[in-house]
Amino acid sequence: MSHFGRSGPPDIRDTYSLLVLNMTFRTTADDLFPLFDKYGEVVDVFIPRDRRTRDSRGFAFVRYKYAGEAQKAVEKLDGRNVDGREIRVQFAKYGPNAERIHKGRIVEEVPRTRGRSRSRSPRPRYRDGYRDREYKRRSRSRSRSRSRSRGRHERDRYHDRERDYRRSSRSPSESPDYRRRTGIGKYDDERRSRSRSYNSPSPKRSSSPHGTPCKGSADEKNHEPSSRSRSVSP
DNA sequence: GTTGAGCGTT
């Protein structure tokens, strides 16, 4: 029944997309469909989810067949309590392929890179950039609210993914060990050799005389005797 | 198990 979003976008030619925000992370399309279907013909309900965890991201897209119904749903369902949380319903602003949408309807298709459209719009991300800058300026002791949990977790997850991918290296040729073994990493050897020549104390080492007059020196001092005397043996 | 501004799919 509600296999929306399972086979890709059905037909967004003459549909009006609504963006549902502030909904629960556990709300699914099955929960939204009946709600929105009561106010009009819902063509598709899609909830962007994580690619790996398949977790809901907290918002959904509801496509209506007619703008009037969509508008009605926006007026009626905006602020409706769903699963113990007031959802925010509004017209989608951007399409799946970054098309410009007006009132939920695509009014400007995405310019294909056919070469014809030489006058490609720079399409600057003022939103992200501005937000980032503002966030940077507002940071310091402003770590309140502004849940960027997704971003942080996303990075960590991606890191984990990369690590997993590396660990499960399908072909040994992609393994660094293999590269070094084959001799491709001779540069690494050279670099390592040069780096290994720590006979001459490089000034950029951890022990900077007048670089880290902080507790680092204290720690070193603290660790020096124990490490040198090495009297602490099991 | 958590999270809370946002704009999207095999």
Side-chain angles (χ1 to χ4, degrees), chain A residues 173 175-193:
Chain A
S173 55
S175 172
D177 291 345
Y178 181 81
R179 280 203 292 187
R180 283 209 297 190
R181 196 177 298 171
T182 48
I184 304 175
K186 66 180 173 183
Y187 295 110
D188 278 358
D189 231 357
E190 277 188 4
R191 189 180 301 175
R192 192 165 58 107
S193 173

Side-chain angles (χ1 to χ4, degrees), chain A residues 39-228:
Chain A
Y39 297 95
E41 182 178 349
V42 176
V43 181
D44 178 47
V45 177
F46 171 67
I47 297 181
R49 290 183 286 185
D50 195 271
R51 292 227 158 94
R52 305 175 322 292
T53 64
R54 312 295 294 178
D55 255 350
S56 174
R57 289 161 65 176
F59 65 97
F61 291 97
V62 180
R63 276 201 284 269
Y64 274 96
K65 191 66 175 65
Y66 303 100
E69 297 174 347
Q71 179 67 27
K72 196 81 174 196
V74 170
E75 292 177 4
K76 294 296 181 186
L77 291 177
D78 184 41
R80 179 66 60 90
N81 189 293
V82 176
D83 200 20
R85 199 173 177 87
E86 291 184 357
I87 63 175
R88 309 258 48 153
V89 182
Q90 55 194 258
F91 280 97
K93 212 168 165 188
Y94 304 101
N97 295 340
E99 315 100 333
R100 199 165 299 177
I101 290 185
H102 178 64
K103 291 294 181 185
R105 185 181 60 178
I106 300 177
V107 295
E108 186 170 326
E109 294 181 357
V110 52
R112 299 176 185 174
T113 59
R114 195 175 289 179
R116 169 73 72 86
S117 57
R118 188 180 297 270
S119 62
R120 58 186 177 88
S121 309
R123 212 172 282 274
R125 293 187 176 182
Y126 283 124
R127 190 173 53 79
D128 289 357
Y130 187 78
R131 193 180 68 80
D132 211 291
R133 271 166 57 169
E134 273 290 326
Y135 164 72
K136 275 187 179 179
R137 288 172 69 107
R138 290 278 181 156
S139 75
R140 266 295 185 226
S141 58
R142 194 67 169 176
S143 60
R144 179 158 55 92
S145 112
R146 289 272 186 186
S147 85
R148 55 203 175 280
S149 57
R150 196 171 68 84
R152 193 156 53 83
H153 283 303
E154 209 175 51
R155 283 183 193 170
D156 288 353
R157 284 172 189 171
Y158 276 135
H159 273 41
D160 287 353
R161 186 170 71 90
E162 283 186 2
R163 197 172 54 187
D164 284 354
Y165 180 79
R166 279 205 173 198
R167 184 162 59 178
S168 67
S169 52
R170 286 155 195 179
S171 57
S173 55
E174 292 191 359
S175 172
D177 291 345
Y178 181 81
R179 280 203 292 187
R180 283 209 297 190
R181 196 177 298 171
T182 48
I184 304 175
K186 66 180 173 183
Y187 295 110
D188 278 358
D189 231 357
E190 277 188 4
R191 189 180 301 175
R192 192 165 58 107
S193 173
R194 197 173 54 168
S195 176
R196 186 183 55 180
S197 66
Y198 48 77
N199 297 340
S200 48
S202 128
K204 291 186 76 173
R205 207 57 179 159
S206 61
S207 63
S208 59
H210 31 269
T212 58
C214 268
K215 57 188 174 183
S217 62
D219 268 7
E220 277 191 2
K221 273 188 177 180
N222 226 352
H223 280 302
E224 224 177 51
S226 80
S227 172
R228 183 169 299 200

